[in-house]
Amino acid sequence: MSVQVDPELEVPVSVDTGSRAAPRKHRRLRAFVRNPTFVAGVMILAFFVFLAVFADLLCPGDPLDMVAPPVLWPGQDMAFPLGTDSLGRDVLSGLVHGSRASLVVGISAAAIGLAIGMLVGALAGFFGGRIDTALTRLIELFQTTPTFILVIVIVAIGEPNLETIAMAIGLASWPTVARLVRAQFRSLRESDFVMAARSLGYSRWRIILQEILPNALPPVIVAASVMTANAILIEAGLSFLNMRDPNIVSWGGMIGDGRDQLRTAWFLTALPGAAIALAVLSLNLVGDGLNEILNPRTEP
Amino acid sequence: MALLSVRDLHTRYAVGKQQLRAVDGVSFEVGRGETVGLVGESGCGKSTLGKTILRLVPSAEGTIELDGADITHLGEGAMAPHRRRMQMIFQDPFGSLNPRQTIRTVLDTALKVHRLGNGAERERQLQEIVTRVGLPSDSLDRYPHEFSGGQRQRIGIARALVLHPALIVCDEPVSALDVSIQAQILNLLIDLKREFGLAYLFISHDLSVVRYFADRVLVMYFGRIVESASHATLWRDPRHPYTKALFAAVPSADPTHKRVAPPIKGELVTTEQVRGCRFHSRCPAATDRCRAEEPPLRSLGEGHHAACHYA
């Protein structure tokens, strides 16, 4: 008994054949562009990155130098369009150079948090059993400690420079990523393609790095943008509390310095505050957009 | 010496505080080049049995021997050479392929992991296998989502075949496919079996597929094998009430055809501990003896075995 196989038969039945990689990439790209919140987030973020990269060209000189009479209001002297603070420092220059501290701390803290969180989450989710129990306890231990307090303690122990601050924020924020990655690994390790990889004799590390990790990444990428935003906020909070490198201008520090003139010169706190809000907003918009774009259920 | 020999195999899952006995004392053999069908309803432990044999799920008791070598407790490293000898084809053609790897990566990695051939040889093998399973020759650099269900299943078959195994566990390989595609895939499997001298353990809940395909059939119920026979014997003379009920459940094209056994009622309960025959609660012919004493799998002659007191 044999059924005649018509090689042509399968073509009309198949629904998604013929969609080659190239048009698919274009569709991806279009999905990016069509998502207005994502585009807005990317544009604002790109603006801040531009400021950070070209700060020395845009506003030459040390932003901490006293260059003008104190407390010039915005527009009062066109040489200092956003005015000066109580020590006669240029606010515009401070904002432009301050984007560096915020972005550097935000991105490096998120990178540290991602690295630790992904490692812990992957090990816990993949191996399960006792390793999982032990690592989950560790995650819970960190999660029950308020993030900001933990960061303050770590920075208070070390030097208040950018490296310590980034490290502290990273150390305090990894549990979220770890939980996320753990959940992904737990479900993916039971999937058929991982079973197939095991039956082909792949080593554990190959399965973790090559089979599971690439499929676990989308929600992690989304989390990364939100983590960066949170790190920027925490850095601003620390600077406000004067736990900062006194030789580097930062937005949080500018708010802290302007606090005393809140009733007479509110712009000294409002402007850096707006910068922080915009940067955090842009990262959250990017996160939301990525969530929609990378979500397999809304696959273009 | 049989290619695969399974003795008194048990697999248990923890479900809360209870234990689910997915596979509960199964013994059978698969000879070289033989196709053994494994039938049973959903949740009876067919897939778990297949995965336990491939050491993808840990076994609780019993032994698995491949080519006479006991592989039941081998570690990851020691297991590696045996992995080449047996492979698996999965039910879901969508979930069984990593969506982020091209077909080339899927197939080539398997060869690389087992250090088979240099770059040029591997490339030639990949081309050969892709054409052999009936995929277009430009498939290698494409991703799984660019293929239809039937084509993806061909990719799964190519992956199972690339290491030239002796045994392939087919876990419902066609049940997720359209009927027209099913026949193509089944015929491909039959051709490949002839060409490469493969042995199959063919898991299915579809009796017509098993009948078309298998030399010998094992009927599984509730983690145990309740009847085993050559496919001719089984269809001519089913002895276990469960097997009879399974056959009766197949819709007949002939409206005058009389059912050989009443349909079974109720559902498979897999966590509760059962005394006596595990089929007694659903069996139309159950007696007090069935409720008290578990029937062993006993020989009825001509390689026909059934686990029923009254078979």
Side-chain angles (χ1 to χ4, degrees):
Chain A
M1 183 161 87
S2 171
V3 178
Q4 272 303 309
V5 177
D6 178 4
E8 296 297 308
L9 194 71
E10 212 168 309
V11 178
V13 179
S14 58
V15 184
D16 54 355
T17 49
S19 56
R20 294 288 204 277
R24 180 182 159 81
K25 269 182 195 150
H26 285 189
R27 260 183 293 166
R28 265 266 153 97
L29 198 68
R30 244 180 286 148
F32 273 106
V33 176
R34 241 189 254 142
N35 194 325
T37 54
F38 181 74
V39 172
V42 167
M43 282 169 67
I44 301 171
L45 190 60
F47 173 68
F48 282 118
V49 171
F50 174 78
L51 290 188
V53 171
F54 296 106
D56 289 330
L57 293 173
L58 295 167
C59 300
D62 189 342
L64 293 173
D65 277 352
M66 292 178 247
V67 290
V71 199
L72 281 178
W73 274 72
Q76 208 176 337
D77 181 344
M78 283 324 281
F80 309 101
L82 293 181
T84 57
D85 70 1
S86 57
L87 294 175
R89 295 177 293 200
D90 185 359
V91 173
L92 177 65
S93 177
L95 287 180
V96 170
H97 285 266
S99 63
R100 283 187 171 175
S102 288
L103 288 182
V104 165
V105 169
I107 291 168
S108 35
I112 293 166
L114 278 180
I116 304 174
M118 279 167 66
L119 184 68
V120 173
L123 293 179
F126 185 78
F127 290 104
R130 282 191 202 141
I131 296 176
D132 184 31
T133 314
L135 290 176
T136 308
R137 292 288 165 278
L138 185 70
I139 294 172
E140 282 165 358
L141 193 70
F142 271 83
Q143 271 201 321
T144 47
T145 321
T147 313
F148 197 66
I149 306 286
L150 186 59
V151 173
I152 287 180
V153 169
I154 299 173
V155 175
I157 294 168
E159 293 264 303
N161 51 29
L162 286 186
E163 290 87 6
T164 317
I165 291 171
M167 182 61 84
I169 299 174
L171 274 177
S173 61
W174 63 268
T176 331
V177 181
R179 295 193 83 109
L180 202 62
V181 173
R182 174 175 169 270
Q184 289 276 310
F185 266 71
R186 275 174 75 93
S187 71
L188 285 169
R189 91 179 156 175
E190 302 295 334
S191 67
D192 278 354
F193 67 82
V194 171
M195 288 285 174
R198 285 175 55 201
S199 80
L200 287 167
Y202 290 13
S203 68
R204 280 179 186 156
W205 291 110
R206 191 184 283 276
I207 290 175
I208 290 176
L209 294 175
Q210 201 177 326
E211 303 289 328
I212 303 184
L213 195 60
N215 290 292
L217 276 184
V220 177
I221 293 169
V222 174
S225 63
V226 178
M227 273 176 83
T228 312
N230 286 339
I232 289 176
L233 276 179
I234 294 175
E235 189 274 336
L238 283 176
S239 301
F240 178 79
L241 295 176
N242 238 342
M243 301 186 89
R244 58 173 154 143
D245 192 332
N247 302 315
I248 292 172
V249 64
S250 79
W251 294 337
M254 289 171 76
I255 296 178
D257 291 342
R259 189 177 45 163
D260 295 336
Q261 289 83 42
L262 193 58
R263 290 168 67 177
T264 50
W266 54 266
F267 68 91
L268 290 178
T269 45
L271 289 174
I276 292 169
L278 263 182
V280 170
L281 176 72
S282 72
L283 282 160
N284 277 296
L285 290 178
V286 169
D288 280 356
L290 282 176
N291 192 25
E292 254 171 63
I293 291 161
L294 298 176
N295 187 342
R297 270 165 294 181
T298 58
E299 185 87 335
Chain B
M1 185 177 61
L3 174 63
L4 173 78
S5 167
V6 174
R7 253 174 251 122
D8 194 33
L9 194 66
H10 292 254
T11 307
R12 295 181 195 130
Y13 292 124
V15 180
K17 293 207 167 158
Q18 280 182 309
Q19 278 201 325
L20 175 76
R21 296 156 167 268
V23 177
D24 197 15
V26 165
S27 306
F28 67 93
E29 291 189 340
V30 179
R32 277 162 226 286
E34 189 183 22
T35 300
V36 175
L38 181 62
V39 295
E41 65 195 288
S42 308
C44 72
K46 308 184 297 278
S47 292
T48 305
L49 176 56
K51 284 179 180 163
T52 310
I53 291 167
L54 284 165
R55 295 280 323 277
L56 298 176
V57 167
S59 57
E61 281 173 48
T63 56
I64 309 159
E65 282 181 15
L66 187 69
D67 295 318
D70 187 344
I71 59 162
T72 324
H73 303 290
L74 291 184
E76 194 188 331
M79 190 61 207
H82 297 284
R83 293 266 181 222
R84 278 183 65 186
R85 301 280 292 154
M86 47 180 189
Q87 284 297 312
M88 184 154 182
I89 299 170
F90 294 85
Q91 173 176 9
D92 176 10
F94 294 85
S96 64
L97 295 168
N98 187 339
R100 293 175 194 274
Q101 289 181 355
T102 60
I103 312 312
R104 183 188 303 281
T105 312
V106 172
L107 301 178
D108 201 30
T109 311
L111 292 175
K112 274 188 202 156
V113 163
H114 290 273
R115 297 195 179 82
L116 299 173
N118 58 34
E121 282 167 27
R122 288 204 310 267
E123 180 63 25
R124 188 184 48 75
Q125 283 193 50
L126 296 190
Q127 291 289 354
E128 217 173 83
I129 200 109
V130 161
T131 356
R132 185 62 201 83
V133 299
L135 287 166
S137 51
D138 64 344
S139 302
L140 277 175
D141 291 307
R142 289 159 67 182
Y143 286 89
H145 70 260
E146 298 173 51
F147 295 92
S148 66
Q151 286 176 318
R152 286 187 198 209
Q153 204 56 305
R154 289 176 195 268
I155 299 168
I157 293 170
R159 175 178 62 192
L161 222 52
V162 74
L163 296 176
H164 294 284
L167 171 71
I168 296 184
V169 174
C170 307
D171 186 4
E172 309 245 16
V174 298
S175 60
L177 304 175
D178 290 344
V179 177
S180 58
I181 310 294
Q182 284 190 3
Q184 297 177 17
I185 297 294
L186 287 175
N187 282 329
L188 173 65
L189 288 173
I190 288 173
D191 291 346
L192 293 172
K193 174 194 161 85
R194 280 198 208 107
E195 196 173 324
F196 297 102
L198 295 169
Y200 289 130
L201 178 63
F202 193 89
I203 301 170
S204 181
H205 64 263
D206 188 339
L207 289 166
S208 55
V209 168
V210 171
R211 184 175 193 178
Y212 176 50
F213 209 76
D215 304 322
R216 202 151 54 81
V217 181
L218 310 172
V219 181
M220 197 165 172
Y221 182 76
F222 201 170
R224 284 227 167 174
I225 288 170
V226 295
E227 185 159 7
S228 80
S230 74
H231 101 262
T233 314
L234 194 70
W235 260 267
R236 192 185 64 236
D237 183 23
R239 301 290 278 273
H240 195 282
Y242 179 64
T243 315
K244 292 179 189 169
L246 277 186
F247 287 162
V250 177
S252 168
D254 176 9
T256 60
H257 175 83
K258 269 183 72 179
R259 286 180 179 277
V260 289
I264 43 173
K265 299 186 183 73
E267 282 196 31
L268 198 67
V269 187
T270 36
T271 43
E272 94 187 22
Q273 200 68 19
V274 186
R275 269 190 70 208
C277 174
R278 43 198 71 205
F279 188 56
H280 76 75
S281 60
R282 298 166 82 187
C283 182
T287 64
D288 286 342
R289 188 183 176 199
C290 301
R291 280 181 268 277
E293 191 187 326
E294 177 154 24
L297 194 66
R298 62 193 173 89
S299 175
L300 307 169
E302 299 173 36
H304 193 163
H305 293 77
C308 177
H309 295 304
Y310 303 103

